[in-house]
Amino acid sequence: MSRARDFADLAGSADAGGLTGRNLIINGAMQVWQRGTSQTGTGYGCVDRWRNTVSGTTTFSQDTASLPTGFEYALRWTTGASSSYGQSRQFIETSTIKILRGRTLTASAYVKVSGTYSGTVTWEIAYSTTSDVNSGNTWVQLTETNVVTASASDASSDYKRISCNVTIPSNALGAYIGIVPSATQASGEWVSVTGVQLEVGEQATPFEHRS
């Protein structure tokens, strides 16, 4: 079965209220680390399928401590100098995006931050009318609704589930989902992310663990 056919089936299942095969994100539980368990530069340097952006001095690494129930790993970025931060994005292929055109999707993730983290952890979800390739492409950020973010006041003692809704335009040929900070950070601040899910519908359902 092709991946496009697989996503078409899961989208139909989601519309019908099914609870399996609904997560459009690959490696959302941060389980696979074929390239290594840390990186200090921008690109695909550690956890599979996630393109990590480094600004200033920042290290991405594998986090295994005090995770939400049912999770083994998270992706953490930690700043090593002031005015630094990290961003993580997953790009979604054209064949999948074509099936999702006109649909409302819900993005969700579990996030934990350091106690003196500045600002919020929020969403950046964008689409392209050209292709699904990151390099040299023009991306337009989608309008997000029902946005739930995380901050030091509500996500430093335990993980918080953040979420938002977006609608895929009828002319989209590619898209990405990004989890990003709202502000630069001081040295030693960190963010951990796991359980990233993107699904058809207007509400976040329990995270689907997929092999």
Side-chain angles (χ1 to χ4, degrees), residues 115-172:
T116 52
Y117 177 87
S118 177
T120 63
V121 178
T122 189
W123 298 96
E124 183 184 281
I125 303 177
Y127 77 101
S128 169
T129 59
T130 304
S131 73
D132 56 10
V133 179
N134 172 54
S135 180
N137 205 354
T138 299
W139 298 96
V140 179
Q141 190 166 351
L142 289 168
T143 299
E144 300 153 5
T145 58
N146 302 317
V147 180
V148 176
T149 62
S151 66
S153 64
D154 58 20
S156 59
S157 61
D158 199 359
Y159 277 84
K160 177 184 179 181
R161 199 177 196 194
I162 65 172
S163 60
C164 74
N165 297 126
V166 294
T167 300
I168 302 298
S170 61
N171 60 345

Side-chain angles (χ1 to χ4, degrees), residues 13-89:
S13 174
D15 285 347
L19 289 178
T20 61
R22 66 193 182 281
N23 191 359
L24 299 163
I25 296 299
I26 300 171
N27 203 28
M30 311 299 177
Q31 293 173 296
V32 184
W33 301 72
Q34 296 184 99
R35 295 175 175 85
T37 56
S38 67
Q39 70 182 90
T40 56
T42 294
Y44 294 94
C46 57
V47 64
D48 283 37
R49 284 283 178 163
W50 291 95
R51 186 179 191 276
N52 298 313
T53 298
V54 169
S55 181
T57 303
T58 301
T59 299
F60 285 85
S61 61
Q62 185 183 84
D63 185 8
T64 60
S66 301
L67 297 171
T69 301
F71 292 90
E72 294 182 82
Y73 304 103
L75 174 64
R76 173 178 289 200
W77 58 258
T78 305
T79 56
S82 61
S83 301
S84 300
Y85 59 86
Q87 299 174 324
S88 296
R89 298 177 177 87

Side-chain angles (χ1 to χ4, degrees), residues 4-18 21-22 24 92 95-107 125 127 142-145 164-172 175 198-203:
R5 182 66 262 164
D6 189 27
F7 280 131
D9 291 342
L10 73 85
S13 174
D15 285 347
R22 66 193 182 281
L24 299 163
I92 303 171
S95 59
T96 301
I97 291 301
K98 285 183 176 180
I99 295 167
L100 297 173
R101 286 172 173 172
R103 293 177 179 267
T104 297
L105 309 178
T106 296
I125 303 177
Y127 77 101
L142 289 168
T143 299
E144 300 153 5
T145 58
C164 74
N165 297 126
V166 294
T167 300
I168 302 298
S170 61
N171 60 345
L198 184 65
E199 58 190 307
V200 176
E202 298 183 4
Q203 292 185 333

